[in-house]
Amino acid sequence: MSASNVPPSETDALLAAVKFGSDGLVTAVAVDDRDGEVVMLAHMNRESLALTLANGVMTYWSRSRKKLWLKGETSGNTQKVVSARIDCDGDALLFRVLPQGVGAACHEGYKSCFFRERNGAAWEIQGKPLQPPDRM
Amino acid sequence: MSASNVPPSETDALLAAVKFGSDGLVTAVAVDDRDGEVVMLAHMNRESLALTLANGVMTYWSRSRKKLWLKGETSGNTQKVVSARIDCDGDALLFRVLPQGVGAACHEGYKSCFFRERNGAAWEIQGKPLQPPDRM
């Protein structure tokens, strides 16, 4: 991870508006800046949000692995931050990102984690994966 | 709320793929189908998701009021469901919606709850509210 090029005080000021839940997390939604598609929803703790705001690369908190998760660190599918928004009550964040690598946000290889759409009683896969599944 | 026009078995089949958290909730993101803008992020319990899928009108679970929340029931800014997607691990849903009324998803009167964007050390309001704040 690159060193921060943003003063800590700037990140601190931004974090002051964020309301972390009792689990210490906020929800983060990532949108592909090229076409506006929602590509994933995950969570951030204070440290991962601070790193994301400071470094401009999406860094989540993995709830399953209980550790910082620099998205794409292994697969190369990192996400550069284009802009960051916060919602009215401060507990959700919306990032426009530029996907790197092959651009698969989903560990199952799809561009978006939301690759299944309702059709009647079924969730049907839409489109094809961009790469084989990875291990996150 | 209108009576369901979808067989209960259809909704049950869809719900089987959803992984509700220990709090009984999943995260739901609503996108304006007209322009793809993310307008809000809220939560659904099993009942509110079943109602949403059956009736085609966004119905959330209000965590603050601890009750079903037919979005726009008071303000008229309901959200008609255009499509529903589920993410890879089944704990987040993405809805494309057609906002009704004046189209304000946010109780502060803005089209989107994400009306503040980062600029340096500040979250700056973007645009103008469509109506005065309501009481949700």
Side-chain angles (χ1 to χ4, degrees):
Chain A
M1 190 176 297
S2 63
S4 167
N5 52 12
V6 173
S9 59
E10 187 167 305
T11 303
D12 287 350
L14 294 164
L15 286 169
V18 181
K19 289 182 188 143
F20 294 93
S22 57
D23 55 2
L25 303 177
V26 287
T27 307
V29 176
V31 169
D32 186 332
D33 187 57
R34 300 169 301 179
D35 57 11
E37 184 176 358
V38 176
V39 293
M40 65 182 285
L41 182 151
H43 299 83
M44 292 181 174
N45 66 357
R46 189 175 181 86
E47 184 182 3
S48 61
L49 176 55
L51 287 167
T52 299
L53 293 171
N55 297 332
V57 183
M58 293 296 284
T59 308
Y60 302 94
W61 174 256
S62 169
R63 295 188 300 177
S64 56
R65 290 176 291 153
K66 296 183 174 49
K67 58 182 283 195
L68 285 174
W69 169 26
L70 173 59
K71 169 70 188 167
E73 190 171 23
T74 311
S75 67
N77 294 316
T78 53
Q79 298 172 328
K80 285 192 185 176
V81 176
V82 175
S83 67
R85 290 190 170 219
I86 188 168
D87 80 345
C88 47
D89 51 7
D91 65 357
L93 296 155
L94 176 65
F95 294 89
R96 292 187 76 95
V97 304
L98 281 178
Q100 306 296 301
V102 303
C106 184
H107 70 288
E108 296 199 28
Y110 292 85
K111 179 189 172 195
S112 168
C113 295
F114 296 92
F115 61 85
R116 289 180 292 165
E117 185 166 297
R118 181 208 181 159
N119 184 359
W123 299 104
E124 288 187 348
I125 293 175
Q126 310 291 314
K128 304 255 181 222
L130 301 176
Q131 65 177 38
D134 65 32
R135 293 171 189 164
M136 308 278 285
Chain B
M1 191 176 296
S2 63
S4 165
N5 52 12
V6 174
S9 59
E10 188 167 303
T11 303
D12 287 348
L14 293 165
L15 286 168
V18 181
K19 289 183 189 143
F20 295 93
S22 57
D23 56 3
L25 303 177
V26 286
T27 308
V29 176
V31 168
D32 187 331
D33 187 56
R34 300 168 303 180
D35 58 11
E37 185 176 358
V38 176
V39 293
M40 65 182 286
L41 183 149
H43 299 83
M44 294 183 173
N45 66 358
R46 189 175 181 86
E47 185 181 3
S48 62
L49 176 54
L51 287 166
T52 299
L53 293 171
N55 297 332
V57 184
M58 294 296 284
T59 308
Y60 302 93
W61 175 257
S62 169
R63 294 188 300 178
S64 56
R65 292 176 291 153
K66 296 184 173 50
K67 57 182 284 196
L68 284 174
W69 170 26
L70 174 58
K71 169 70 188 165
E73 189 171 24
T74 311
S75 67
N77 294 316
T78 54
Q79 298 170 329
K80 284 193 187 177
V81 177
V82 175
S83 67
R85 289 190 172 219
I86 189 168
D87 80 346
C88 48
D89 52 8
D91 63 358
L93 295 155
L94 177 65
F95 294 89
R96 292 188 77 95
V97 304
L98 280 177
Q100 307 296 300
V102 304
C106 184
H107 71 288
E108 295 198 27
Y110 293 85
K111 180 190 172 193
S112 168
C113 295
F114 296 93
F115 60 86
R116 288 181 292 165
E117 185 165 298
R118 180 204 182 161
N119 184 359
W123 299 104
E124 288 187 347
I125 293 176
Q126 310 293 315
K128 305 258 182 217
L130 301 175
Q131 65 176 38
D134 65 31
R135 294 172 187 160
M136 306 278 286

